[in-house]
Amino acid sequence: MYSIKFENVSKSFGKTKVINNLNLNIKKGERMILLGQSGCGKSTILRMISGLETITSGDLYLNGERANDIDSGDRSIAMVFQNYALFPHMTITENIGYGLKINKEKKEVIKERVDEAVRILNLEGLEGRYPRELSGGQRQRVALARALVKRGDFFLLDEPLSNLDAQLRGHARKELVKIHEMYKQTFIYVTHDQVEAMTIGDRIALMNQGDLQMLDTPHNVYHRPSNIFVATFIGSPSMNIIPVNIEGNELIIGDNRIKLPEIWLKHINNSGSKKLKMGIRPEDVVLSATPGEYSLPVEIKYIEDYGNRIGFYFNIHEDEVISIMSEGDFSRNAKVYWNVKVNKLHFFDSETTNSIGYPSEIK
């Protein structure tokens, strides 16, 4: 039985449809990431789970029970918002325990859970302070502690780390995973940050304009993208996408031809796609001073030094291609070779933008 199940769920605000026929199954106890750009519908999905938004059509099931008409307060949900939403007139202890207090939990239960949350989230010594006396990172930990003490079946987080600086976000990501591993609630996390998605999630549901684009593990979302949108959304810099043609057993890239790699030849011919686009991630674009078996001559147009990596930019016909390498002694305008790593290629149908899949030889 799935912990959360969407069956043909749509959501509209007036005439504006924001979720299109969503079918999504979330396993009990997993960390599910809802990822996408602002306005893609990910927060709306979270709010439908919590009961803060009604469902226009379709059905939502929580622990096997149809939940469309279940009140928000009866859904066993703990939620953390982006803006913390702490009560300014309450101490940290009072903020953390407030939800338990209004649910009329016993005082000893409230104290036990609050003390435990304070310890887990390193808030010792701050119990008597007020939110205005805390840093942003401390206030975020208080909001997490308040959700933690509820011990709900579902732990919902709506971009909870977006107000923190980069160093604090990195620390908080690890703490969130530790908390989940302790309590094993079904964990739904909304973010537009792909680093958070890749490092926190067991699976990622990538949304675009109300449509689910891909649902899979972080590894597969990165290495086996289902379409061009997924391929270019995940990764920084994003995947290089280049229009290509196939003639016989040759792959035509810009003004260059290379023998179509044998592992791809049969697969591409069997795909039925007439027009293709080739994808390759910047870290898989390898440049050298000498040609290899599958090489294209290119001229470096621009260089960026990132400290631990170097970005080399060149053009294939009208398309800019980025190579990210750990080292490389090439200068601007240098003529070098792009040695194509055939097991790192991706091919997409130009019309549908969907991946044509991968040969069985590529693991």
Side-chain angles (χ1 to χ4, degrees):
M1 181 178 72
Y2 291 104
S3 182
I4 300 173
K5 187 174 184 179
F6 287 86
E7 283 191 355
N8 303 314
V9 169
S10 295
K11 174 64 182 177
S12 298
F13 294 101
K15 295 182 179 180
T16 303
K17 199 169 190 178
V18 294
I19 299 294
N20 304 313
N21 200 42
L22 176 66
N23 288 281
L24 174 63
N25 296 328
I26 301 173
K27 303 170 187 175
K28 186 175 179 63
E30 79 169 322
R31 294 191 298 273
M32 173 65 73
I33 308 298
L34 301 177
L35 175 66
Q37 300 163 324
S38 297
C40 71
K42 57 188 186 296
S43 290
T44 301
I45 294 172
L46 198 76
R47 291 172 65 84
M48 286 192 291
I49 295 171
S50 69
L52 297 177
E53 292 289 355
T54 58
I55 292 171
T56 304
S57 64
D59 295 301
L60 168 67
Y61 294 89
L62 301 179
N63 289 333
E65 181 180 2
R66 187 176 181 275
N68 294 41
D69 302 317
I70 297 177
D71 289 339
S72 178
D74 297 327
R75 296 190 182 199
S76 189
I77 282 169
M79 192 164 181
V80 180
F81 297 94
Q82 180 180 352
N83 62 359
Y84 316 140
L86 302 179
F87 296 109
H89 63 287
M90 292 185 184
T91 65
I92 300 316
T93 295
E94 291 168 341
N95 263 287
I96 295 172
Y98 180 72
L100 299 177
K101 182 179 178 181
I102 62 172
N103 284 334
K104 296 183 169 53
E105 284 284 0
K106 295 179 180 179
K107 288 183 179 180
E108 56 268 26
V109 172
I110 295 175
K111 185 179 187 310
E112 178 185 350
R113 292 191 188 179
V114 169
D115 288 348
E116 181 184 43
V118 165
R119 185 181 71 255
I120 291 171
L121 288 158
N122 298 316
L123 292 168
E124 294 99 331
L126 304 177
E127 295 92 335
R129 294 190 186 181
Y130 293 90
R132 64 179 178 276
E133 300 174 304
L134 303 182
S135 68
Q138 290 168 334
R139 288 196 294 270
Q140 182 60 71
R141 279 184 276 150
V142 174
L144 288 168
R146 184 177 57 190
L148 187 62
V149 298
K150 289 188 68 176
R151 306 278 177 87
D153 293 337
F154 310 101
F155 197 26
L156 312 183
L157 301 101
D158 192 359
E159 303 207 42
L161 308 183
S162 60
N163 291 329
L164 306 184
D165 61 44
Q167 187 173 5
L168 274 175
R169 282 202 304 272
H171 176 74
R173 288 199 301 267
K174 290 183 284 187
E175 292 303 311
L176 282 173
V177 172
K178 288 180 184 178
I179 289 169
H180 177 258
E181 289 176 346
M182 290 176 62
Y183 294 101
K184 301 293 186 184
Q185 308 108 315
T186 302
F187 181 107
I188 318 296
Y189 189 103
V190 164
T191 184
H192 64 271
D193 186 321
Q194 58 179 279
V195 174
E196 288 182 11
M198 297 292 289
T199 55
I200 293 175
D202 294 322
R203 289 194 298 162
I204 296 172
L206 179 55
M207 301 293 298
N208 182 40
Q209 297 181 344
D211 292 314
L212 179 61
Q213 298 292 314
M214 188 172 183
L215 173 63
D216 214 321
T217 63
H219 181 275
N220 285 343
V221 168
Y222 188 85
H223 293 283
R224 297 291 179 95
S226 60
N227 56 43
I228 290 177
F229 174 81
V230 176
T232 55
F233 188 88
I234 298 290
S236 181
S238 62
M239 183 183 287
N240 298 293
I241 303 293
I242 308 165
V244 295
N245 291 306
I246 308 293
E247 285 188 8
N249 65 347
E250 287 188 314
L251 179 63
I252 304 171
I253 308 175
D255 298 323
N256 301 283
R257 293 171 179 257
I258 62 173
K259 183 180 177 182
L260 188 63
E262 192 64 33
I263 61 172
W264 279 104
L265 182 59
K266 183 178 179 180
H267 187 81
I268 289 175
N269 288 336
N270 290 340
S271 71
S273 296
K274 303 301 182 185
K275 293 184 178 180
L276 293 173
K277 291 186 178 181
M278 185 182 78
I280 187 164
R281 294 211 174 273
E283 63 269 26
D284 295 325
V285 179
V286 179
L287 302 179
S288 70
T290 56
E293 182 180 2
Y294 302 102
S295 292
L296 302 178
V298 299
E299 182 178 339
I300 295 172
K301 299 295 185 181
Y302 181 68
I303 300 173
E304 289 182 333
D305 190 337
Y306 309 120
N308 63 337
R309 303 181 304 165
I310 304 173
F312 298 100
Y313 293 73
F314 58 90
N315 291 334
I316 294 292
H317 199 47
E318 297 179 351
D319 299 289
E320 184 178 71
V321 179
I322 308 170
S323 168
I324 301 293
M325 299 172 61
S326 58
E327 58 184 15
D329 190 23
F330 306 126
S331 60
R332 190 171 178 177
N333 299 323
K335 291 178 170 57
V336 296
Y337 292 92
W338 169 17
N339 293 309
V340 179
K341 300 172 72 174
V342 298
N343 63 329
K344 296 296 185 179
L345 297 178
H346 309 257
F347 287 95
F348 305 92
D349 186 288
S350 294
E351 294 181 358
T352 67
T353 77
N354 291 330
S355 170
I356 68 168
Y358 300 86
S360 57
E361 296 91 335
I362 297 178
K363 304 300 182 184

